[in-house]
Structures are given as C-alpha cells and as structure tokens.
Amino acid sequence: MNPEEREELARLLPSPGEPVLTSDRHDLLKDLLMRELTEQAPELLDIATAPGRRARAPRRRFAVIAVPLATAAAIVAAVLAGAVGSKTATTDADAVDLLHRIAEVAAAKKSVPVRDDQYIYVRTQGSMKFSEKDIRILREASWTAVDGKRAGLRRVTVLVGPPFRPRDPFSSYSKGTHDMRLSPDPNVTTFRELQALPTDPDSLLEKIYAGTKGEGQTRESAALEKIGDMLPDATLLPELDAALYRAAAKIPGVSVVTDTKDYTGRSGIGLSFKERDGRTVWVFDKKSLDFLGSADEALLAVGVADKAGETPTT
C-alpha cells in the first residue's frame, strides 16, 4: 500500500479517542496539579481575619500557568501509581477508647443557660505568619452574638510583633491591643445553630460530611477541621461536646500522642489525626481530659458574657 492510500484510509477510520479518567481519579489529578503548581505561591492575608478559631485560613489563590506536556504526564503517572499503592488509614484502638473517655467526661458537665441577647466569649493564644521573618504572637478574645444577628467584638493583643507604623496595612496587628468589630456573618456557625445539631454521633458525622462537601483535601480532613472549629463553643453544650468526640472516633487514622503541649506550653495527652498534608493534634489535660487546644493554638477560656467586651466572671 502506497503512502497516499494509507493517508486516505486513515481519514476514513474513526478517531481512537482520548483516554478517560474516572471522576475520582480526575479530582485527585486536579488536586495534585494545583498543589504542585502553587507550592511557592504566597497566601493572601485577610486583614479582617485574626488567627482565631472562627474563620478558616485564607484559601490559596491559584494562578493560571501553562503546564509542559512532559510535566503533566509525569504528574499523571505519579497520581496513578500513588492511587494503586495507597493504603487505608488505620485507627488505634487506644485512641478510640480515649475519645470515648473524653466524651464521657464532657457529657457529665453541666450545661450553661444562654440567652439570645448574650455573647459567647472565647479566649485563645496563637500566632499569625506575615512572612518568613515576621511571625507575630497574639492573644485573642472574641465575643460573638448567641443568635448571630448582632455585631460582636474581637480584641487582639499582639504580644510579639513590630511597633505601630503609619500607613502600615497591617497596623491592626502591630504590638499592643486592638479592637475590631465582628459583623454578623452567615458563614459562621452560631451558638443557636450548634444547639440544633443532632447529638447522635452517626447523624452528627453525616451532617458534618454533608456540610463540608467539597472542602479540604479529603472529606475526613474537612470534617475534622469543622469539628475542631466547634469544640470551643461546644464546651458549653455537654451533649453536643460528647457527640463531637464520638463522631471523631469514627474517622479513621486517629492515634494517641502520649506527651504533647499546646501552643502556650501546657503539657497534655494528644490525639493525632492523619491527614494528607500532615497531622492535626488535639491536646487534652491528662487528669481532667479538658480540651486545651492544639500545638498551633491554645484555648484559654470559654464563657458567656452579657455585653461585648465584658469578661465572664466564671
């Protein structure tokens, strides 16, 4: 067959088509591509968001970058090889037992009566990274309206940081104490919404999975982040507090860290949850099993106040 005949036959044959990935493999590839391409991209700092528990860290912004074909092919190969060789996260029975013991302690506490006109007070200590050489240590107190319909207050005390500089875009985080208005935010779970959550662990976990769908690296890591966000306020709701720990016990990959410390250096026992990009460790007092926070942020106090800016007496 001469070249002209082969060319004519090729035109008559159907296209061989494109190789198709399943939807889960496609999502995995997309995620890996995005992380590879933006590994060095800076995160944009939301000035209105302090390092506290109430707002998620700023999402990484992705730039549109042309990917060399060879690089894309290598990443696809890595994704497929990793998917074949991956293992299901295992759970330590001792960790599950500890979570259930923590739940029992939480359930035995007295609930706190709260009115709609009051505020939930939470005090934490952590840090905020502005650059590799500029990491500021902050103590934050926040007052959020119980019903979420009124403005609250965030009081940030910068313990370690630069002095105030005129026209500094981050002057709200210069050394000293700064008050910031907390506007009502429909994306923030209110105390009343927490009260309405189911206290059956299975139902609660199902609702958390549904509410965090599409967030995080995995549905498990997104659920754990959400549970961690709810833990401070939930200390005022014993049944929900216990249910959150029992729900966490159903998420695979938990293990015990026998000796760990929260951000302020308080010693405790930890629970480590394996995630794709690292580990989240919750720290608890070894004797009381009270939640102390984590190595990244210490929980110092939770209470109910009649007015924003007022420190609860108990």
Side-chain angles (χ1 to χ4, degrees):
M1 184 181 295
N2 61 46
E4 289 80 12
E5 290 174 326
R6 281 199 298 269
E7 185 177 345
E8 178 65 23
L9 182 60
R11 284 198 297 266
L12 295 173
L13 290 173
S15 170
E18 297 286 341
V20 178
L21 289 173
T22 59
S23 60
D24 57 338
R25 292 286 179 84
H26 180 273
D27 291 342
L28 186 60
L29 173 60
K30 178 182 175 182
D31 177 70
L32 183 58
L33 277 169
M34 290 298 98
R35 288 193 289 120
E36 288 289 333
L37 295 175
T38 60
E39 187 175 7
Q40 302 302 321
E43 291 187 5
L44 301 181
L45 177 65
D46 181 356
I47 300 175
T49 301
R53 33 176 267 302
R54 295 205 164 273
R56 295 183 184 278
R59 298 281 186 183
R60 188 180 295 276
R61 270 50 169 183
F62 298 118
V64 179
I65 304 173
V67 187
L69 183 59
T71 302
I75 293 174
V76 170
V79 170
L80 298 180
V84 172
S86 62
K87 295 181 179 179
T88 303
T90 58
T91 296
D92 184 348
D94 290 338
V96 172
D97 178 66
L98 177 58
L99 276 165
H100 284 290
R101 285 194 287 124
I102 291 169
E104 288 175 5
V105 171
K109 294 180 180 179
K110 293 183 179 180
S111 60
V112 178
V114 181
R115 304 190 310 269
D116 279 348
D117 64 335
Q118 292 181 307
Y119 295 83
I120 301 301
Y121 169 82
V122 176
R123 185 158 55 95
T124 60
Q125 185 166 320
S127 64
M128 180 177 282
K129 182 178 180 180
F130 288 74
S131 70
E132 291 298 330
K133 296 182 179 180
D134 186 1
I135 300 175
R136 308 179 192 187
I137 299 175
L138 310 95
R139 184 170 292 160
E140 175 195 328
S142 63
W143 291 261
T144 54
V146 169
D147 59 7
K149 298 178 180 179
R150 291 162 289 116
L153 175 68
R154 173 178 283 132
R155 179 166 292 157
V156 176
T157 299
V158 181
L159 305 174
V160 176
F164 175 81
R165 293 188 293 261
R167 291 183 288 187
D168 179 0
F170 303 128
S171 60
S172 295
Y173 295 104
S174 58
K175 194 168 184 179
T177 299
H178 313 272
D179 282 357
M180 307 176 194
R181 185 177 184 271
L182 280 177
S183 299
D185 186 348
N187 296 316
V188 174
T189 304
T190 69
F191 188 78
R192 289 298 181 227
E193 288 172 335
L194 283 180
Q195 282 185 309
L197 289 173
T199 54
D200 172 73
D202 291 310
S203 300
L204 178 59
L205 186 56
E206 183 179 347
K207 193 171 185 66
I208 291 172
Y209 278 144
T212 57
K213 188 175 182 180
E215 299 178 11
Q217 297 295 333
T218 65
R219 74 168 192 159
E220 290 78 14
S221 64
L224 285 169
E225 183 178 354
K226 183 64 176 178
I227 292 173
D229 287 345
M230 292 190 288
L231 286 179
D233 288 16
T235 59
L236 303 174
L237 299 166
E239 288 188 15
L240 176 64
D241 201 20
L244 287 171
Y245 291 121
R246 290 176 178 132
K250 296 178 179 293
I251 298 176
V254 60
S255 58
V256 175
V257 182
T258 53
D259 288 295
T260 188
K261 294 181 179 180
D262 72 1
Y263 185 82
T264 60
R266 293 178 296 182
S267 296
I269 188 168
L271 285 168
S272 174
F273 296 88
K274 184 69 177 69
E275 299 177 24
R276 184 183 299 179
D277 290 335
R279 287 182 177 271
T280 297
V281 180
W282 295 344
V283 184
F284 301 85
D285 183 273
K286 288 186 177 181
K287 293 183 178 179
S288 67
L289 295 182
D290 287 338
F291 180 57
L292 301 180
S294 69
D296 299 318
E297 182 181 67
L299 178 63
L300 303 179
V302 181
V304 181
D306 290 331
K307 298 179 181 179
E310 176 183 278
T311 302
T313 55
T314 56

mmCIF file of all heavy atoms in Angstrom, residues 96 98-109 198-202 204-205 208 227 230-231 233-250 282 284:
data_model
loop_
_atom_site.group_PDB
_atom_site.id
_atom_site.type_symbol
_atom_site.label_atom_id
_atom_site.label_comp_id
_atom_site.label_asym_id
_atom_site.label_seq_id
_atom_site.Cartn_x
_atom_site.Cartn_y
_atom_site.Cartn_z
ATOM 1 N N VAL A 96 -9.344 5.500 70.042
ATOM 2 C CA VAL A 96 -10.805 5.474 70.054
ATOM 3 C C VAL A 96 -11.311 5.395 71.490
ATOM 4 O O VAL A 96 -12.263 6.083 71.876
ATOM 5 C CB VAL A 96 -11.331 4.289 69.221
ATOM 6 C CG1 VAL A 96 -12.846 4.144 69.380
ATOM 7 C CG2 VAL A 96 -10.979 4.473 67.750
ATOM 8 N N LEU A 98 -9.757 6.500 74.131
ATOM 9 C CA LEU A 98 -9.519 7.804 74.757
ATOM 10 C C LEU A 98 -10.593 8.804 74.336
ATOM 11 O O LEU A 98 -11.102 9.568 75.176
ATOM 12 C CB LEU A 98 -8.133 8.324 74.378
ATOM 13 C CG LEU A 98 -7.764 9.718 74.906
ATOM 14 C CD1 LEU A 98 -7.854 9.777 76.422
ATOM 15 C CD2 LEU A 98 -6.371 10.112 74.427
ATOM 16 N N LEU A 99 -10.966 8.813 73.079
ATOM 17 C CA LEU A 99 -12.014 9.719 72.616
ATOM 18 C C LEU A 99 -13.337 9.448 73.329
ATOM 19 O O LEU A 99 -14.068 10.388 73.682
ATOM 20 C CB LEU A 99 -12.193 9.588 71.098
ATOM 21 C CG LEU A 99 -11.237 10.416 70.243
ATOM 22 C CD1 LEU A 99 -11.259 9.937 68.795
ATOM 23 C CD2 LEU A 99 -11.580 11.896 70.322
ATOM 24 N N HIS A 100 -13.645 8.172 73.549
ATOM 25 C CA HIS A 100 -14.884 7.845 74.252
ATOM 26 C C HIS A 100 -14.807 8.239 75.721
ATOM 27 O O HIS A 100 -15.815 8.663 76.309
ATOM 28 C CB HIS A 100 -15.211 6.358 74.091
ATOM 29 C CG HIS A 100 -15.774 6.020 72.739
ATOM 30 N ND1 HIS A 100 -17.033 6.412 72.346
ATOM 31 C CD2 HIS A 100 -15.243 5.353 71.681
ATOM 32 C CE1 HIS A 100 -17.268 5.992 71.120
ATOM 33 N NE2 HIS A 100 -16.188 5.354 70.681
ATOM 34 N N ARG A 101 -13.631 8.133 76.334
ATOM 35 C CA ARG A 101 -13.478 8.582 77.726
ATOM 36 C C ARG A 101 -13.608 10.101 77.820
ATOM 37 O O ARG A 101 -14.213 10.630 78.761
ATOM 38 C CB ARG A 101 -12.121 8.126 78.288
ATOM 39 C CG ARG A 101 -12.088 6.639 78.608
ATOM 40 C CD ARG A 101 -10.898 6.274 79.462
ATOM 41 N NE ARG A 101 -9.658 6.318 78.707
ATOM 42 C CZ ARG A 101 -8.602 7.037 79.030
ATOM 43 N NH1 ARG A 101 -8.645 7.829 80.096
ATOM 44 N NH2 ARG A 101 -7.497 6.992 78.299
ATOM 45 N N ILE A 102 -13.040 10.810 76.856
ATOM 46 C CA ILE A 102 -13.175 12.269 76.813
ATOM 47 C C ILE A 102 -14.648 12.647 76.639
ATOM 48 O O ILE A 102 -15.142 13.591 77.265
ATOM 49 C CB ILE A 102 -12.323 12.853 75.659
ATOM 50 C CG1 ILE A 102 -10.834 12.689 75.973
ATOM 51 C CG2 ILE A 102 -12.650 14.315 75.414
ATOM 52 C CD1 ILE A 102 -9.916 12.999 74.799
ATOM 53 N N ALA A 103 -15.355 11.883 75.806
ATOM 54 C CA ALA A 103 -16.781 12.135 75.583
ATOM 55 C C ALA A 103 -17.576 11.943 76.867
ATOM 56 O O ALA A 103 -18.496 12.726 77.167
ATOM 57 C CB ALA A 103 -17.305 11.214 74.482
ATOM 58 N N GLU A 104 -17.236 10.916 77.644
ATOM 59 C CA GLU A 104 -17.948 10.656 78.902
ATOM 60 C C GLU A 104 -17.740 11.809 79.880
ATOM 61 O O GLU A 104 -18.675 12.235 80.566
ATOM 62 C CB GLU A 104 -17.452 9.347 79.504
ATOM 63 C CG GLU A 104 -17.907 8.108 78.747
ATOM 64 C CD GLU A 104 -17.303 6.831 79.313
ATOM 65 O OE1 GLU A 104 -16.610 6.920 80.358
ATOM 66 O OE2 GLU A 104 -17.507 5.761 78.720
ATOM 67 N N VAL A 105 -16.518 12.316 79.952
ATOM 68 C CA VAL A 105 -16.223 13.450 80.836
ATOM 69 C C VAL A 105 -16.994 14.684 80.376
ATOM 70 O O VAL A 105 -17.565 15.425 81.195
ATOM 71 C CB VAL A 105 -14.703 13.735 80.849
ATOM 72 C CG1 VAL A 105 -14.414 15.044 81.578
ATOM 73 C CG2 VAL A 105 -13.954 12.586 81.514
ATOM 74 N N ALA A 106 -17.020 14.914 79.071
ATOM 75 C CA ALA A 106 -17.726 16.080 78.532
ATOM 76 C C ALA A 106 -19.219 15.996 78.816
ATOM 77 O O ALA A 106 -19.854 16.987 79.206
ATOM 78 C CB ALA A 106 -17.484 16.180 77.030
ATOM 79 N N ALA A 107 -19.803 14.802 78.634
ATOM 80 C CA ALA A 107 -21.241 14.623 78.832
ATOM 81 C C ALA A 107 -21.652 14.832 80.281
ATOM 82 O O ALA A 107 -22.807 15.193 80.561
ATOM 83 C CB ALA A 107 -21.657 13.238 78.358
ATOM 84 N N ALA A 108 -20.739 14.608 81.217
ATOM 85 C CA ALA A 108 -21.056 14.725 82.645
ATOM 86 C C ALA A 108 -21.063 16.174 83.140
ATOM 87 O O ALA A 108 -21.509 16.449 84.260
ATOM 88 C CB ALA A 108 -20.049 13.913 83.458
ATOM 89 N N LYS A 109 -20.615 17.101 82.325
ATOM 90 C CA LYS A 109 -20.569 18.505 82.744
ATOM 91 C C LYS A 109 -21.955 19.136 82.663
ATOM 92 O O LYS A 109 -22.833 18.669 81.940
ATOM 93 C CB LYS A 109 -19.584 19.283 81.873
ATOM 94 C CG LYS A 109 -18.146 18.818 82.063
ATOM 95 C CD LYS A 109 -17.187 19.596 81.182
ATOM 96 C CE LYS A 109 -15.751 19.120 81.397
ATOM 97 N NZ LYS A 109 -14.796 19.842 80.528
ATOM 98 N N PRO A 198 -27.675 17.457 65.699
ATOM 99 C CA PRO A 198 -28.014 16.172 66.347
ATOM 100 C C PRO A 198 -26.905 15.739 67.291
ATOM 101 O O PRO A 198 -25.728 16.039 67.060
ATOM 102 C CB PRO A 198 -28.145 15.212 65.161
ATOM 103 C CG PRO A 198 -27.334 15.829 64.074
ATOM 104 C CD PRO A 198 -27.456 17.308 64.245
ATOM 105 N N THR A 199 -27.264 15.056 68.343
ATOM 106 C CA THR A 199 -26.272 14.570 69.302
ATOM 107 C C THR A 199 -26.017 13.075 69.156
ATOM 108 O O THR A 199 -25.250 12.501 69.937
ATOM 109 C CB THR A 199 -26.704 14.889 70.744
ATOM 110 O OG1 THR A 199 -28.021 14.377 70.972
ATOM 111 C CG2 THR A 199 -26.700 16.386 70.986
ATOM 112 N N ASP A 200 -26.667 12.447 68.182
ATOM 113 C CA ASP A 200 -26.321 11.073 67.824
ATOM 114 C C ASP A 200 -25.053 11.140 66.959
ATOM 115 O O ASP A 200 -25.032 11.847 65.934
ATOM 116 C CB ASP A 200 -27.449 10.416 67.043
ATOM 117 C CG ASP A 200 -27.034 9.054 66.495
ATOM 118 O OD1 ASP A 200 -26.924 8.109 67.284
ATOM 119 O OD2 ASP A 200 -26.784 8.978 65.266
ATOM 120 N N PRO A 201 -23.973 10.445 67.346
ATOM 121 C CA PRO A 201 -22.696 10.577 66.624
ATOM 122 C C PRO A 201 -22.768 10.274 65.134
ATOM 123 O O PRO A 201 -22.165 10.983 64.329
ATOM 124 C CB PRO A 201 -21.784 9.572 67.350
ATOM 125 C CG PRO A 201 -22.377 9.425 68.702
ATOM 126 C CD PRO A 201 -23.849 9.570 68.522
ATOM 127 N N ASP A 202 -23.540 9.228 64.756
ATOM 128 C CA ASP A 202 -23.654 8.881 63.348
ATOM 129 C C ASP A 202 -24.368 9.975 62.559
ATOM 130 O O ASP A 202 -23.930 10.374 61.471
ATOM 131 C CB ASP A 202 -24.389 7.546 63.181
ATOM 132 C CG ASP A 202 -23.557 6.372 63.683
ATOM 133 O OD1 ASP A 202 -22.383 6.272 63.287
ATOM 134 O OD2 ASP A 202 -24.087 5.563 64.470
ATOM 135 N N LEU A 204 -24.698 13.096 63.460
ATOM 136 C CA LEU A 204 -23.878 14.301 63.503
ATOM 137 C C LEU A 204 -22.767 14.244 62.464
ATOM 138 O O LEU A 204 -22.539 15.219 61.728
ATOM 139 C CB LEU A 204 -23.277 14.466 64.904
ATOM 140 C CG LEU A 204 -22.354 15.673 65.110
ATOM 141 C CD1 LEU A 204 -23.080 16.983 64.820
ATOM 142 C CD2 LEU A 204 -21.794 15.668 66.531
ATOM 143 N N LEU A 205 -22.082 13.103 62.374
ATOM 144 C CA LEU A 205 -20.986 12.981 61.407
ATOM 145 C C LEU A 205 -21.519 13.064 59.978
ATOM 146 O O LEU A 205 -20.885 13.696 59.116
ATOM 147 C CB LEU A 205 -20.248 11.660 61.615
ATOM 148 C CG LEU A 205 -18.983 11.461 60.765
ATOM 149 C CD1 LEU A 205 -17.988 12.594 60.986
ATOM 150 C CD2 LEU A 205 -18.334 10.118 61.082
ATOM 151 N N ILE A 208 -22.081 16.674 59.253
ATOM 152 C CA ILE A 208 -20.809 17.388 59.078
ATOM 153 C C ILE A 208 -20.218 17.082 57.708
ATOM 154 O O ILE A 208 -19.736 17.986 57.009
ATOM 155 C CB ILE A 208 -19.829 17.009 60.202
ATOM 156 C CG1 ILE A 208 -20.309 17.587 61.539
ATOM 157 C CG2 ILE A 208 -18.417 17.524 59.890
ATOM 158 C CD1 ILE A 208 -19.519 17.119 62.742
ATOM 159 N N ILE A 227 -15.060 19.967 63.065
ATOM 160 C CA ILE A 227 -15.229 19.557 64.460
ATOM 161 C C ILE A 227 -14.326 20.389 65.366
ATOM 162 O O ILE A 227 -14.752 20.869 66.417
ATOM 163 C CB ILE A 227 -14.935 18.055 64.630
ATOM 164 C CG1 ILE A 227 -16.020 17.225 63.932
ATOM 165 C CG2 ILE A 227 -14.860 17.671 66.112
ATOM 166 C CD1 ILE A 227 -15.734 15.734 63.889
ATOM 167 N N MET A 230 -15.695 23.729 66.118
ATOM 168 C CA MET A 230 -16.863 23.741 67.003
ATOM 169 C C MET A 230 -16.534 23.421 68.460
ATOM 170 O O MET A 230 -17.325 23.719 69.354
ATOM 171 C CB MET A 230 -17.913 22.757 66.480
ATOM 172 C CG MET A 230 -18.541 23.171 65.163
ATOM 173 S SD MET A 230 -19.979 22.159 64.712
ATOM 174 C CE MET A 230 -19.194 20.611 64.267
ATOM 175 N N LEU A 231 -15.388 22.807 68.709
ATOM 176 C CA LEU A 231 -15.082 22.332 70.061
ATOM 177 C C LEU A 231 -15.109 23.426 71.144
ATOM 178 O O LEU A 231 -15.642 23.179 72.235
ATOM 179 C CB LEU A 231 -13.732 21.615 70.076
ATOM 180 C CG LEU A 231 -13.708 20.219 69.440
ATOM 181 C CD1 LEU A 231 -12.305 19.629 69.501
ATOM 182 C CD2 LEU A 231 -14.709 19.287 70.114
ATOM 183 N N ASP A 233 -16.863 26.363 71.511
ATOM 184 C CA ASP A 233 -18.237 26.703 71.888
ATOM 185 C C ASP A 233 -18.984 25.497 72.449
ATOM 186 O O ASP A 233 -19.846 25.634 73.316
ATOM 187 C CB ASP A 233 -18.998 27.236 70.674
ATOM 188 C CG ASP A 233 -18.531 28.631 70.261
ATOM 189 O OD1 ASP A 233 -17.445 29.047 70.701
ATOM 190 O OD2 ASP A 233 -19.240 29.288 69.479
ATOM 191 N N ALA A 234 -18.649 24.311 71.928
ATOM 192 C CA ALA A 234 -19.361 23.101 72.349
ATOM 193 C C ALA A 234 -19.087 22.735 73.804
ATOM 194 O O ALA A 234 -19.839 21.942 74.379
ATOM 195 C CB ALA A 234 -19.000 21.930 71.441
ATOM 196 N N THR A 235 -18.045 23.304 74.413
ATOM 197 C CA THR A 235 -17.803 23.027 75.834
ATOM 198 C C THR A 235 -18.968 23.513 76.692
ATOM 199 O O THR A 235 -19.129 23.076 77.833
ATOM 200 C CB THR A 235 -16.496 23.695 76.317
ATOM 201 O OG1 THR A 235 -16.581 25.105 76.116
ATOM 202 C CG2 THR A 235 -15.289 23.156 75.561
ATOM 203 N N LEU A 236 -19.779 24.421 76.155
ATOM 204 C CA LEU A 236 -20.954 24.915 76.873
ATOM 205 C C LEU A 236 -22.187 24.054 76.609
ATOM 206 O O LEU A 236 -23.243 24.289 77.187
ATOM 207 C CB LEU A 236 -21.249 26.360 76.460
ATOM 208 C CG LEU A 236 -20.115 27.371 76.661
ATOM 209 C CD1 LEU A 236 -20.503 28.731 76.079
ATOM 210 C CD2 LEU A 236 -19.754 27.505 78.135
ATOM 211 N N LEU A 237 -22.042 23.058 75.719
ATOM 212 C CA LEU A 237 -23.146 22.165 75.357
ATOM 213 C C LEU A 237 -22.690 20.714 75.547
ATOM 214 O O LEU A 237 -22.231 20.072 74.604
ATOM 215 C CB LEU A 237 -23.554 22.396 73.893
ATOM 216 C CG LEU A 237 -24.057 23.801 73.550
ATOM 217 C CD1 LEU A 237 -24.105 24.000 72.038
ATOM 218 C CD2 LEU A 237 -25.434 24.030 74.166
ATOM 219 N N PRO A 238 -22.763 20.189 76.756
ATOM 220 C CA PRO A 238 -22.197 18.871 77.069
ATOM 221 C C PRO A 238 -22.597 17.745 76.129
ATOM 222 O O PRO A 238 -21.748 16.945 75.726
ATOM 223 C CB PRO A 238 -22.702 18.607 78.497
ATOM 224 C CG PRO A 238 -22.903 19.973 79.076
ATOM 225 C CD PRO A 238 -23.393 20.818 77.938
ATOM 226 N N GLU A 239 -23.888 17.645 75.769
ATOM 227 C CA GLU A 239 -24.323 16.535 74.908
ATOM 228 C C GLU A 239 -23.696 16.640 73.519
ATOM 229 O O GLU A 239 -23.248 15.640 72.948
ATOM 230 C CB GLU A 239 -25.851 16.526 74.805
ATOM 231 C CG GLU A 239 -26.537 16.069 76.091
ATOM 232 C CD GLU A 239 -28.040 15.897 75.886
ATOM 233 O OE1 GLU A 239 -28.489 15.846 74.723
ATOM 234 O OE2 GLU A 239 -28.762 15.817 76.893
ATOM 235 N N LEU A 240 -23.652 17.851 72.973
ATOM 236 C CA LEU A 240 -23.035 18.036 71.663
ATOM 237 C C LEU A 240 -21.530 17.823 71.752
ATOM 238 O O LEU A 240 -20.928 17.203 70.866
ATOM 239 C CB LEU A 240 -23.332 19.438 71.128
ATOM 240 C CG LEU A 240 -22.638 19.768 69.797
ATOM 241 C CD1 LEU A 240 -23.149 18.857 68.681
ATOM 242 C CD2 LEU A 240 -22.843 21.236 69.433
ATOM 243 N N ASP A 241 -20.922 18.325 72.811
ATOM 244 C CA ASP A 241 -19.480 18.171 73.006
ATOM 245 C C ASP A 241 -19.105 16.683 72.979
ATOM 246 O O ASP A 241 -18.175 16.269 72.275
ATOM 247 C CB ASP A 241 -19.089 18.794 74.350
ATOM 248 C CG ASP A 241 -17.610 19.137 74.422
ATOM 249 O OD1 ASP A 241 -16.965 19.264 73.355
ATOM 250 O OD2 ASP A 241 -17.083 19.282 75.546
ATOM 251 N N ALA A 242 -19.859 15.882 73.726
ATOM 252 C CA ALA A 242 -19.608 14.440 73.764
ATOM 253 C C ALA A 242 -19.826 13.820 72.392
ATOM 254 O O ALA A 242 -19.049 12.966 71.943
ATOM 255 C CB ALA A 242 -20.521 13.784 74.795
ATOM 256 N N ALA A 243 -20.872 14.248 71.686
ATOM 257 C CA ALA A 243 -21.179 13.695 70.368
ATOM 258 C C ALA A 243 -20.074 14.017 69.362
ATOM 259 O O ALA A 243 -19.759 13.198 68.491
ATOM 260 C CB ALA A 243 -22.514 14.235 69.873
ATOM 261 N N LEU A 244 -19.475 15.195 69.463
ATOM 262 C CA LEU A 244 -18.390 15.570 68.555
ATOM 263 C C LEU A 244 -17.192 14.635 68.722
ATOM 264 O O LEU A 244 -16.576 14.209 67.733
ATOM 265 C CB LEU A 244 -17.968 17.018 68.799
ATOM 266 C CG LEU A 244 -18.940 18.096 68.304
ATOM 267 C CD1 LEU A 244 -18.515 19.469 68.814
ATOM 268 C CD2 LEU A 244 -19.031 18.100 66.783
ATOM 269 N N TYR A 245 -16.853 14.306 69.955
ATOM 270 C CA TYR A 245 -15.731 13.392 70.191
ATOM 271 C C TYR A 245 -16.067 11.972 69.726
ATOM 272 O O TYR A 245 -15.210 11.278 69.174
ATOM 273 C CB TYR A 245 -15.346 13.401 71.672
ATOM 274 C CG TYR A 245 -14.731 14.707 72.116
ATOM 275 C CD1 TYR A 245 -15.307 15.473 73.133
ATOM 276 C CD2 TYR A 245 -13.574 15.190 71.506
ATOM 277 C CE1 TYR A 245 -14.753 16.676 73.531
ATOM 278 C CE2 TYR A 245 -13.007 16.398 71.902
ATOM 279 C CZ TYR A 245 -13.612 17.130 72.911
ATOM 280 O OH TYR A 245 -13.044 18.331 73.293
ATOM 281 N N ARG A 246 -17.307 11.556 69.931
ATOM 282 C CA ARG A 246 -17.698 10.220 69.474
ATOM 283 C C ARG A 246 -17.749 10.158 67.939
ATOM 284 O O ARG A 246 -17.440 9.127 67.343
ATOM 285 C CB ARG A 246 -19.052 9.842 70.079
ATOM 286 C CG ARG A 246 -18.953 9.578 71.591
ATOM 287 C CD ARG A 246 -20.281 9.288 72.231
ATOM 288 N NE ARG A 246 -20.106 9.003 73.653
ATOM 289 C CZ ARG A 246 -20.835 9.545 74.622
ATOM 290 N NH1 ARG A 246 -21.806 10.401 74.326
ATOM 291 N NH2 ARG A 246 -20.607 9.240 75.890
ATOM 292 N N ALA A 247 -18.117 11.277 67.318
ATOM 293 C CA ALA A 247 -18.099 11.336 65.863
ATOM 294 C C ALA A 247 -16.661 11.287 65.349
ATOM 295 O O ALA A 247 -16.361 10.593 64.364
ATOM 296 C CB ALA A 247 -18.792 12.611 65.381
ATOM 297 N N ALA A 248 -15.766 12.000 66.024
ATOM 298 C CA ALA A 248 -14.349 11.999 65.630
ATOM 299 C C ALA A 248 -13.759 10.601 65.735
ATOM 300 O O ALA A 248 -12.880 10.223 64.954
ATOM 301 C CB ALA A 248 -13.559 12.975 66.497
ATOM 302 N N ALA A 249 -14.246 9.814 66.696
ATOM 303 C CA ALA A 249 -13.749 8.451 66.872
ATOM 304 C C ALA A 249 -14.094 7.567 65.681
ATOM 305 O O ALA A 249 -13.465 6.517 65.480
ATOM 306 C CB ALA A 249 -14.324 7.845 68.158
ATOM 307 N N LYS A 250 -15.065 7.967 64.881
ATOM 308 C CA LYS A 250 -15.473 7.180 63.715
ATOM 309 C C LYS A 250 -14.660 7.540 62.466
ATOM 310 O O LYS A 250 -14.810 6.898 61.424
ATOM 311 C CB LYS A 250 -16.966 7.411 63.442
ATOM 312 C CG LYS A 250 -17.871 6.913 64.573
ATOM 313 C CD LYS A 250 -19.334 7.202 64.285
ATOM 314 C CE LYS A 250 -20.216 6.678 65.416
ATOM 315 N NZ LYS A 250 -20.198 5.189 65.472
ATOM 316 N N TRP A 282 -4.979 17.351 68.662
ATOM 317 C CA TRP A 282 -5.747 17.986 69.723
ATOM 318 C C TRP A 282 -5.096 17.626 71.051
ATOM 319 O O TRP A 282 -4.726 16.473 71.285
ATOM 320 C CB TRP A 282 -7.189 17.481 69.723
ATOM 321 C CG TRP A 282 -7.969 17.853 68.490
ATOM 322 C CD1 TRP A 282 -7.651 18.815 67.564
ATOM 323 C CD2 TRP A 282 -9.195 17.267 68.038
ATOM 324 N NE1 TRP A 282 -8.591 18.872 66.585
ATOM 325 C CE2 TRP A 282 -9.562 17.932 66.840
ATOM 326 C CE3 TRP A 282 -10.015 16.256 68.527
ATOM 327 C CZ2 TRP A 282 -10.720 17.611 66.136
ATOM 328 C CZ3 TRP A 282 -11.157 15.925 67.821
ATOM 329 C CH2 TRP A 282 -11.518 16.604 66.647
ATOM 330 N N PHE A 284 -5.209 17.511 75.297
ATOM 331 C CA PHE A 284 -6.113 17.433 76.437
ATOM 332 C C PHE A 284 -5.315 17.331 77.729
ATOM 333 O O PHE A 284 -4.241 16.723 77.759
ATOM 334 C CB PHE A 284 -7.030 16.204 76.322
ATOM 335 C CG PHE A 284 -7.878 16.197 75.081
ATOM 336 C CD1 PHE A 284 -7.377 15.698 73.880
ATOM 337 C CD2 PHE A 284 -9.171 16.693 75.107
ATOM 338 C CE1 PHE A 284 -8.152 15.693 72.731
ATOM 339 C CE2 PHE A 284 -9.950 16.696 73.948
ATOM 340 C CZ PHE A 284 -9.437 16.203 72.768
#
